[in-house]
Amino acid sequence: GSAGAIQYYADKISELSGKADMSKSDLEKLRSAIARYNDLTGSSVSVTDELTGALNVNEAAFKKNTEAAKENAYAKAYASMLEDAIKKQAELQVELQKQQDLYDTAAENAQKLIAKYGEDWHFFPEEAQDEWLTYQSAMNEANNAMRDLRGQADAVDESIDVLDKTIEAHNEQLKQ
């Protein structure tokens, strides 16, 4: 579960438990919050006294468990974001290679025309001029796409670096 959801239900449980006179409505809200909390954290918190809403765990243990569950949720979220960024990086590399291949093919075809008709495309036969312009256009489009993709790849690389540092800092904080 998310750290925010875990904290929300932990706060609800703290607010509702341990009252001197527990109403049926409050008891239901407490049980509901406990069920959600247990689902999110894998805990087994329960009500031991329906009149007061007392729990089977003391406040210190409950808070410690909540913090550990939130840290676990953060770690999972960071790992998921890192995994997504690495997948995106791989997708961008594949797309960059496709664009490079398109560029290379167009450049190779343009070179064949130069080899056949000479350096200045203005003196090519008309159909070869059209072909030349098509290849130039394809090369420009591939170049523009590669520039955009490199920009995206740089941004993804930066986000991976930030996530790596965040995970490292998070792990260091947990050691203390």
Side-chain angles (χ1 to χ4, degrees), residues 102-114:
L102 289 172
Y103 179 91
D104 292 347
T105 300
E108 192 177 302
N109 288 331
Q111 280 306 116
K112 287 177 186 171
L113 289 176
I114 289 171

Side-chain angles (χ1 to χ4, degrees), residues 7 13 15 21 37-38 44 56 65 79 84 114 120 137 140 142 145 148 160:
Q7 188 61 59
I13 292 167
E15 172 193 320
D21 53 345
Y37 178 86
N38 287 343
S44 54
N56 65 338
N65 185 56
D84 289 347
I114 289 171
D120 191 346
S137 176
N140 287 334
D148 291 347
I160 288 172

Side-chain angles (χ1 to χ4, degrees), residues 84-97 149:
D84 289 347
I86 290 169
K87 279 182 193 168
K88 181 67 174 173
Q89 187 182 48
E91 290 167 7
L92 289 169
Q93 290 306 318
V94 167
E95 193 56 39
L96 258 168
Q97 188 57 55
L149 289 165

Side-chain angles (χ1 to χ4, degrees), residues 123-136:
F123 297 112
F124 291 2
E126 193 174 326
E127 64 277 358
Q129 285 185 13
D130 291 343
E131 200 176 334
W132 169 262
L133 292 172
T134 300
Y135 297 145
Q136 293 303 308

Side-chain angles (χ1 to χ4, degrees), residues 13-169:
I13 292 167
S14 293
E15 172 193 320
L16 293 167
S17 66
K19 288 186 173 180
D21 53 345
M22 177 71 65
S23 70
K24 280 202 182 294
S25 169
D26 283 347
L27 183 61
E28 284 311 306
K29 288 178 189 171
L30 177 60
R31 284 202 169 120
S32 175
I34 288 171
R36 299 276 186 270
Y37 178 86
N38 287 343
D39 284 346
L40 291 168
T41 64
S43 301
S44 54
V45 174
S46 62
V47 175
T48 57
D49 183 343
E50 292 189 3
L51 297 177
T52 65
L55 305 177
N56 65 338
V57 292
N58 67 37
E59 187 67 22
F62 180 69
K63 282 184 176 176
K64 186 176 179 180
N65 185 56
T66 297
E67 287 308 309
K70 283 171 38 184
E71 291 304 326
N72 188 32
Y74 283 128
K76 284 181 180 174
Y78 294 145
S80 176
M81 287 187 287
L82 185 60
E83 187 178 315
D84 289 347
I86 290 169
K87 279 182 193 168
K88 181 67 174 173
Q89 187 182 48
E91 290 167 7
L92 289 169
Q93 290 306 318
V94 167
E95 193 56 39
L96 258 168
Q97 188 57 55
K98 283 182 190 173
Q99 293 300 322
Q100 184 66 55
D101 292 347
L102 289 172
Y103 179 91
D104 292 347
T105 300
E108 192 177 302
N109 288 331
Q111 280 306 116
K112 287 177 186 171
L113 289 176
I114 289 171
K116 189 172 182 179
Y117 299 113
E119 288 291 323
D120 191 346
W121 69 275
H122 293 95
F123 297 112
F124 291 2
E126 193 174 326
E127 64 277 358
Q129 285 185 13
D130 291 343
E131 200 176 334
W132 169 262
L133 292 172
T134 300
Y135 297 145
Q136 293 303 308
S137 176
M139 290 164 60
N140 287 334
E141 283 180 30
N143 252 336
N144 290 336
M146 287 188 291
R147 186 174 37 255
D148 291 347
L149 289 165
R150 284 189 196 101
Q152 290 177 45
D154 289 347
V156 170
D157 288 346
E158 203 172 294
S159 71
I160 288 172
D161 289 344
V162 169
L163 282 166
D164 278 339
K165 289 177 181 147
T166 303
I167 290 168
E168 198 174 299

